[in-house]
Amino acid sequence: MTRTHWLVLVSGIWAALYAASFLLAAHTAPEGDGFTRGMNRLTVFVQYQVGAGLLAIVIWAMGQRLRHRWQRWLARVPGCLALGLVLLVIGVITFATLTQH
């Protein structure tokens, strides 16, 4: 298998993990009572996103050796999505902290 075939295979696994993080979290029945009800959904989402994030790092590294510039940029998309999610969470936490009454 060539490097491009491996990159496509790993990208497919990344896409499956990324989609599964949303789909499985949405279809998981909430457990618990009170404040912690539904925390199992968050756990499922974060576990799959961490797996997808680790694969995004691998894809980024594999993409640096590609010939065409557009292919290198395309290989950076999963990493940028993972970074965007982390920044979104940090932004929401910061906003919630700064706007407390």
Side-chain angles (χ1 to χ4, degrees):
M1 286 178 80
T2 65
R3 182 180 305 135
T4 307
H5 289 116
W6 281 107
L7 186 60
V8 169
L9 177 67
V10 175
S11 296
I13 296 170
W14 169 83
L17 285 174
Y18 194 80
S21 70
F22 292 101
L23 296 173
L24 291 177
H27 290 94
T28 300
E31 295 177 357
D33 294 324
F35 179 72
T36 60
R37 181 166 175 83
M39 287 293 260
N40 61 323
R41 290 179 171 181
L42 184 63
T43 303
V44 168
F45 177 77
V46 170
Q47 286 174 342
Y48 280 92
Q49 282 293 324
V50 166
L54 293 174
L55 277 180
I57 294 169
V58 171
I59 292 169
W60 189 309
M62 289 174 70
Q64 296 307 308
R65 295 183 179 178
L66 294 173
R67 293 181 188 163
H68 302 288
R69 186 175 181 171
W70 67 271
Q71 289 176 330
R72 288 192 298 269
W73 276 101
L74 195 59
R76 293 176 185 157
V77 169
C80 290
L81 285 174
L83 182 62
L85 182 64
V86 169
L87 292 176
L88 179 68
V89 169
I90 291 171
V92 167
I93 292 170
T94 303
F95 178 77
T97 303
L98 294 176
T99 59
Q100 284 183 350
H101 290 42

